[in-house]
Amino acid sequence: MASSSSSSLSRVVVKSSDNNLFVVNKKVASQSQLLKQCIDNMEEKGTNDVILIPLSNVTSNILTLVLEYCEKHADFADDDNNNQELKQWDHEFLKKFDYATLNSLTMAADYMVTKSLLNLCCQFIADSIKDLTVQQIRQIFDIKNDFTPQEEADIKNENAWAFR
Amino acid sequence: MAALPTNIIVEILSKLPVKSLLRFQCICKSWQSLIKSPYFIKIQFNQTLTSHSNLHLLASVEHSSLHCSELDLCHDQVSFSFSALHHPLKPRQPITIVGSYNGVVCISNISKSDVCLYNPLTKSHRKLPASKMSIPNINMTVFGFGYDRNNDDYKVLRIVQGLGKIDDSKNKAEVFSLQSNSRKSIQGIPYSLYYGYYVGVLVNEALHCGYSRIEF
């Protein structure tokens, strides 16, 4: 273990909402500002014990995905953001998921303060919904139409060109 | 499926092009009020600027019509597909582009009597009130279109070139402000400006006009 004067954690244990444990090394965990903050706090206190971080909002399915992303990005942490290989990987990574998974992943990225993953998910969702119809959007996001038929027709008339 | 929290909805919608946003206003009331809010418009606009997305190239063809094509700086663009815009000035009337900034385009008819600010993406527009300056020859008007960052305001400058000896009193000028929807007279500049097809060009937030050393 590290010397007693300055402590340095090499790993943390993260617990999902459904009580599964994940051992994560520090470099990977640091991709999430939430986990990084926990690690920094413990290090300041001089703890040498492995710490347990409970994430009450993230299921193990989704946590596995977030950690997969963090692992890949930790490998490229010293590269600039424009690495083409990483961009390609990001795209392939998200392509596999349905909207329900994408939404959960986006919320987990937000909760765990993994800004680059949040940004990536939002851009991916935006790109994939931009040409969809109003009806399709309501279905995907499970939104109830609260306009009267007249109100909806008025908005459509006002911007008729956008519906062509 | 769990509903996305508002901050994530904002994040996603801010990455959409204007055309999608206009359509998505009728998804539900909360999306409509979000998309219409100045707060969101600003976020979406900054997003567009920093990501260089949703760029458009504007062209006026032989002063008779206004055309617009999407512009892609991220990939090698081999061709443009221009489509005609139905601008708010009288159709089939010759027009000229005075200038554009942040997606707002200032156009005038060729006789310079009608001027209009126009957003081709949202199709919204504002016609300028007619000038009260006495204009001996309307062709001798020089327009300039600019943006005032401090006041977040779009302004249109109209200078009327005077004839004869050059002094301050010869050139009359007025500035229209979009924010206040009004114009005010300002002092002219003591130069013989190029007029006709010439317009002021906005560089570093200042309008630049060409002038002649020879008095007209």
Side-chain angles (χ1 to χ4, degrees), chain A residues 100 103 106-107 110 119 122-123 126 129-132 134 137-138 140-141 143 146-147 155 161-163, chain B residues 1-5 7-8 11-12 15-17 19-20 22-29 31-32 121 123:
Chain A
N103 282 2
T106 311
M107 284 192 278
D110 186 40
N119 206 28
C122 290
Q123 186 67 59
I129 65 170
K130 72 175 197 285
D131 295 322
L132 298 186
V134 168
I137 297 290
R138 286 191 191 128
I140 288 168
F141 292 101
I143 295 171
D146 50 5
F147 288 116
I155 302 169
W161 69 277
F163 289 85
Chain B
M1 189 170 79
L4 288 170
N7 68 319
I8 293 178
E11 198 62 43
I12 294 171
K15 296 175 194 299
L16 287 172
K19 189 173 180 178
S20 305
L22 290 176
R23 228 169 49 238
F24 294 171
Q25 279 187 80
C26 64
I27 301 278
C28 65
K29 284 179 180 167
W31 278 38
Q32 186 198 30
L121 290 181
K123 313 285 180 207

Side-chain angles (χ1 to χ4, degrees), chain B residues 72 113 144 183 211:
Chain B
D72 187 351
S113 55
R183 57 186 139 60
Y211 72 96

Side-chain angles (χ1 to χ4, degrees), chain B residues 169-216:
Chain B
S169 62
K170 284 287 186 270
N171 284 350
K172 286 174 282 183
E174 65 180 23
V175 176
F176 168 82
S177 145
L178 183 63
Q179 285 270 10
S180 64
N181 196 26
S182 65
R183 57 186 139 60
K184 69 173 184 205
S185 298
I186 57 166
Q187 207 174 18
I189 40 175
Y191 296 105
S192 294
L193 298 177
Y194 288 123
Y195 52 84
Y197 289 116
Y198 294 94
V199 291
V201 176
L202 189 70
V203 180
N204 283 340
E205 304 196 7
L207 279 171
H208 297 67
C209 300
Y211 72 96
S212 165
R213 288 175 189 280
I214 304 159
E215 293 182 12
F216 300 129

Side-chain angles (χ1 to χ4, degrees), chain A residues 58-67 100-102 104-106 108-109:
Chain A
V58 188
T59 62
S60 44
N61 283 346
I62 298 298
L63 186 55
T64 310
L65 300 179
V66 177
L67 293 176
T101 311
L102 274 175
S104 304
L105 188 61
T106 311

Side-chain angles (χ1 to χ4, degrees), chain B residues 77 80-81 85 92 141 152-153 158 160 181 193-194:
Chain B
Q77 190 162 8
F80 297 100
S81 74
L85 292 171
R92 279 186 281 280
T141 301
D152 186 23
D153 194 6
R158 183 201 292 264
V160 178
N181 196 26
L193 298 177
Y194 288 123

